[in-house]
Amino acid sequence: MNQALLDKIEATYSRKTPLKFNVGDTVKVHTRVKEGEKERTQVFNGIVIGRRGHGVNANFTVRRVSYGQGVERVFPCNSPFVEKVEVERHGKVKRAKLNYLRHRLGKEAVTVREKKAKPVAKPAAKSA
């Protein structure tokens, strides 16, 4: 099958505005949950420990420690049930997958250094 044709078909199912976050970021994922007739928004916050796939098949894994127990959840990037992803902190990491966080306990499990914002260069004053 032609790749251009596949890309065209996948474009109809992909998200209009792509999610902007990286591995190591602390995020809040807002998901829609159906319970019988009712529908509500549930928030899952934690550290993004990995992304995989591309196009329609892309997904990401978020990990948090809740009551001393590690909880991981995988979210499809293009799912209509994922309403939005808010980035709380940008993490500075050197790896694409943060599986080493699974073996850490307490504060160590949450510790990822924060990425510093790049300084904005001031425009030089013009002298006449």
Side-chain angles (χ1 to χ4, degrees), residues 20-77:
K20 295 178 182 170
F21 62 90
N22 293 316
V23 174
D25 292 352
T26 303
V27 296
K28 282 185 176 180
V29 183
H30 297 259
T31 56
R32 271 189 301 174
V33 178
K34 278 189 173 183
E35 293 174 339
E37 297 292 318
K38 294 182 181 180
E39 192 172 289
R40 64 182 178 90
T41 301
Q42 186 177 43
V43 180
F44 188 89
N45 55 348
I47 298 176
V48 179
I49 63 167
R51 292 183 81 156
R52 68 184 304 156
H54 67 280
V56 178
N57 298 322
N59 58 43
F60 61 98
T61 306
V62 180
R63 177 180 174 82
R64 76 170 179 205
V65 178
S66 179
Y67 298 103
Q69 189 72 28
V71 178
E72 291 183 11
R73 193 160 169 200
V74 179
F75 296 98
C77 290

Side-chain angles (χ1 to χ4, degrees), residues 57-111:
N57 298 322
N59 58 43
F60 61 98
T61 306
V62 180
R63 177 180 174 82
R64 76 170 179 205
V65 178
S66 179
Y67 298 103
Q69 189 72 28
V71 178
E72 291 183 11
R73 193 160 169 200
V74 179
F75 296 98
C77 290
N78 295 301
S79 173
F81 291 108
V82 175
E83 289 180 351
K84 64 181 176 179
V85 177
E86 292 179 30
V87 179
E88 292 181 331
R89 286 180 49 195
H90 291 285
K92 181 179 179 183
V93 294
K94 296 181 179 180
R95 295 176 178 9
K97 303 279 191 285
L98 304 181
N99 294 326
Y100 64 89
L101 290 178
R102 292 176 175 158
H103 305 293
R104 295 193 175 182
L105 300 172
K107 282 188 179 180
E108 290 179 334
V110 188
T111 306

